[in-house]
């Protein structure tokens, strides 16, 4: 500080020193109280204004309004989301229902799931509607709407309007409208787990993209693909149905119902919330690579299963899905979840895709490699080797570079909250086996036995993390044809690091 400033300050400091014992007169005291009173009143008024302006604006002053103003929720509203809060709308056709119903009936639970298959016309008089199918409704006439996409089908209009027609049924306690195709397989427990993460009183549009980049380019990256299924929360549906019919004409040039829905939701300004468990399955060939590299998220849906190889070898498409469902029923949240572990005594790597497959590598492979999908499939439209919306690794032509693959054989309960799932060795596609000496021991393994405790669905509400595993028998294992693996939550500072 400069001396100039000090010299100015000095006289003032001295003045304060002389006022060490100030005497307050009664008149000054009264004035002080008055000022304090005014200040407090001002504060109160400001607080009141802030509080009032923060209240939501409700025009009517009835009981419901008061309840919302007091921020109270009924027990019904507070209860967490369950299957009864979902209303499914399946896009179907009376011409194809008899063949497509096999996929819907895999997940439809009469008496538990709510919803309808929407048909273009009543089924033929001589056919009775199966009790195992969702009940049907006949869609309204769409002949007044415009459709100008040269390569598409007008049925897109009818399918797009399912959300509106479902909403207009006015059913009670619907939190989510879930749309899907007649060949979509939903894993409803996981769908409920995923949706219950979101506040159904907010406007949400939840779903996933296509796996084939070409499809996301032609349609939209911003869209939830209809075959993989998507969910629209009640408040969003309420705004959507008001403008949907207008949108259908405004977006007449778009091919699909899902594009029309997304375009309309774009007018509301809501974006898709992507959930990696919805699978459009826009691929051709063997879906093994896709399924065996599932992201760390619950499996919600599978679609297009008639267009890919059966998901398990040596069985029909539907029976293969049924097999996956037997595992899913035992532990929904764990289905397709991956775990990697090493056997450092034998230098083996094991990659488990729970309920589906196990890969055994007679060498140490990085976690990064193990999490990458084998490219066993091609793109949807052009049958090219990519690009996909995720990275892939080629399947080597050298059998010694390929893992031994084991596929699900069975699952059973052990000790109440544990499961034992076992996986049987498959024959390599080439019919050959690696002849190198160091592979001989791994070749002896015929089964992999996987023990795991049941996955607690609430874990999916936390930051997702892949679970850890360990190989239970060492190199001295009694039965060299079996490898036993235990899956468990990872310990602190535990990682898949060979050391
Ligand atoms: C009460 O207010 C709510 C919210 O504004 C409204 O939805 C409801 O229809 C009203 N009920 C009556 C009886 O006016
Ligand atoms: C779902 O939750 C509601 C409360 O919102 C409850 O009444 C109903 O019993 C629950 N249903 C199932 C199947 O858990
Ligand atoms: C139902 O009737 C149609 C014609 O009316 C016929 O072509 C069809 O074969 C019949 N189906 C069955 C299951 O009887
Ligand atoms: C394929 O399935 C049939 C009948 O279930 C069975 O007999 C046959 O051994 C299986 N083949 C392979 C390679 O698993
Ligand atoms: C495992 O790999 C390490 C490092 O490559 C090597 O030193 C060790 O001898 C191998 N052990 C066996 C049993 O092959
Ligand atoms: C090893 O396990 C397999 C499969 O569980 C079984 O079939 C076989 O008999 C067992 N071998 C011995 C020696 O215990």
């Amino acid at each position: 500080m400069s001396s100039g400033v000090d010299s100015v300050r000095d006289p003032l400091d001295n003045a304060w020193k002389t006022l060490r014992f100030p005497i307050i007169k009664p008149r000054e005291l009264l004035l002080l109280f008055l000022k304090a009173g005014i200040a407090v009143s001002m504060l109160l008024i400001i607080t009141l204004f802030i509080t009032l302006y923060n209240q939501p604006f409700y025009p009517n002053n009835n009981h419901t309004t008061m309840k919302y103003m007091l921020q109270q929720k009924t027990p019904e509203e507070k209860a967490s989301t369950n299957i009864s809060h979902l209303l499914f709308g399946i896009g179907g056709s009376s011409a194809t229902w008899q063949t497509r119903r096999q996929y819907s009936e895999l997940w439809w639970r009469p008496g538990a799931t709510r919803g309808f298959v929407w048909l273009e016309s009543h089924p033929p008089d001589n056919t009775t509607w199966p009790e195992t199918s969702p009940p049907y409704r006949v869609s309204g006439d769409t002949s007044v709407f415009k459709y100008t996409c040269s390569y598409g089908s007008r049925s897109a209009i009818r399918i797009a309007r399912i959300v509106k027609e479902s909403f207009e049924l006015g059913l009670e306690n619907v939190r989510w409208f879930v749309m899907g195709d007649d060949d979509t397989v939903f894993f409803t427990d996981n769908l409920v787990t995923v949706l219950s993460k979101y506040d159904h009183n907010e406007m949400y549009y939840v779903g996933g993209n296509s796996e084939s980049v070409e499809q996301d380019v032609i349609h939209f990256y911003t869209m939830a693909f209809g075959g993989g299924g998507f969910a629209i929360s009640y408040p969003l549906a309420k705004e959507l149905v008001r403008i949907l019919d207008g949108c259908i004409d405004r977006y007449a040039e778009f091919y699909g119902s899902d594009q029309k829905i997304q375009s309309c939701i774009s007018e509301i300004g809501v974006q898709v919330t992507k959930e990696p468990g919805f699978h459009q399955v826009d691929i051709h060939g063997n879906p093994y690579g896709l399924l065996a590299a599932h992201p760390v998220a619950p499996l919600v849906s599978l679609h297009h299963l008639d267009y890919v190889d059966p998901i398990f070898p040596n069985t029909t498409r539907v029976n293969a899905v049924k097999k996956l469902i037997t595992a899913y029923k035992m532990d929904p949240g764990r289905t397709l979840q991956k775990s990697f572990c090493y056997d450092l005594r034998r230098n083996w790597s094991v990659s488990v895709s729970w309920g589906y497959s196990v890969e055994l590598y007679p060498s140490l492979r990085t976690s990064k490699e193990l999490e990458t999908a084998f490219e066993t499939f091609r793109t949807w439209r052009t049958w090219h080797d990519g690009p996909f919306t995720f990275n892939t690794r080629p399947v080597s032509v050298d059998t010694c570079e390929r893992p031994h693959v084991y596929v699900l054989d069975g699952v059973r309960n052990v000790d109440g909250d544990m499961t034992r799932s076992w996986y049987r060795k498959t024959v390599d596609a080439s019919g050959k086996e690696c002849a190198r000496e160091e592979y001989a021991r791994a070749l002896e393994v015929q089964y992999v036995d996987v023990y795991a405790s049941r996955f607690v669905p609430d874990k999916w509400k936390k930051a997702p993390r892949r679970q850890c595993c360990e190989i239970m028998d060492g190199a001295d294992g009694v039965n060299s044809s079996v490898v036993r693996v235990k899956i468990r939550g990872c310990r602190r500072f535990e990682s898949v690091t060979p050391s």
Side-chain angles (χ1 to χ4, degrees), residues 344-347 364:
L344 294 174
R345 280 166 296 188
R346 288 178 286 194
N347 284 352
L364 298 182

Side-chain angles (χ1 to χ4, degrees), residues 84 86-88 114-116 118 137 165-175 177 234:
S84 78
L86 276 47
L87 186 68
F88 289 92
R114 282 204 288 171
F116 302 94
W118 294 81
R137 294 271 162 148
E165 292 184 285
S166 298
F167 184 89
E168 286 167 354
L169 295 174
L171 297 179
E172 291 280 304
N173 297 326
V174 177
R175 294 183 178 183
F177 294 89
Y234 187 91

Side-chain angles (χ1 to χ4, degrees), residues 264-290:
C264 205
I265 292 177
S266 140
E267 294 189 359
I268 298 165
V270 170
Q271 290 198 93
V272 63
T273 297
K274 287 182 189 166
E275 271 290 341
F278 287 87
H279 299 284
Q280 169 79 4
V281 193
D282 269 352
I283 53 169
H284 283 289
N286 190 340
Y288 177 84
L290 178 74

